[in-house]
Amino acid sequence: MDHPLGAVGPVRIVLTPDDFDARRAFYRDVIGLEVVEEFDGDEGILFRLAADTYLELLRPATATVAGLRFALHVADADAAHATVAAAGAASGPVEVMPWGHRSFTLTDPGGVHLTLFEPVGDDEP
């Protein structure tokens, strides 16, 4: 059976820590994770955990959703939105983010935020 959202691409675990600088230093300097990208003048950082699995840290002022969330790369944000809506899940609208993703967020039954995103333009993790 095909997955209802289509092929899910890279997975991101996204944290919005109160002390961004301490967390960034920990994962970069202590743990030694590979830095894939730094966002918008020090507003966020993307680390590679494994093939197609990433840890993203965002400053609280940058994040649209605070705390912990998972972000799944989907091929078509509109189709994914239609799929979750047809299954009865409430979500926000598909929006174009300043960094070029088309995305929407919903909440799982345990309260964890899940963002489904489609990069627009460049292929990126």
Side-chain angles (χ1 to χ4, degrees):
M1 180 175 135
D2 289 331
H3 191 279
L5 296 178
V8 175
V11 175
R12 293 183 184 193
I13 300 164
V14 185
L15 297 176
T16 309
D18 290 334
D19 191 340
F20 173 86
D21 294 321
R23 289 275 183 101
R24 175 181 54 192
F26 177 80
Y27 287 108
R28 182 188 60 206
D29 304 333
V30 176
I31 302 299
L33 293 179
E34 174 191 353
V35 175
V36 176
E37 183 178 357
E38 295 190 57
F39 309 129
D40 299 326
D42 200 37
E43 294 302 316
I45 190 166
L46 184 67
F47 296 102
R48 184 181 318 277
L49 295 174
D52 287 341
T53 307
Y54 301 89
L55 171 63
E56 182 176 340
L57 301 179
L58 295 174
R59 288 193 183 278
T62 303
T64 55
V65 177
L68 167 72
R69 69 180 161 94
F70 290 95
L72 300 177
H73 178 159
V74 295
D76 184 332
D78 292 314
H81 190 267
T83 297
V84 301
S91 73
V94 175
E95 297 181 275
V96 177
M97 306 311 288
W99 48 90
H101 290 173
R102 297 186 71 251
S103 64
F104 65 96
T105 301
L106 62 156
T107 304
D108 80 5
V112 174
H113 294 278
L114 178 68
T115 298
L116 281 69
F117 72 96
E118 170 191 357
V120 178
D122 298 337
D123 287 336
E124 61 178 82

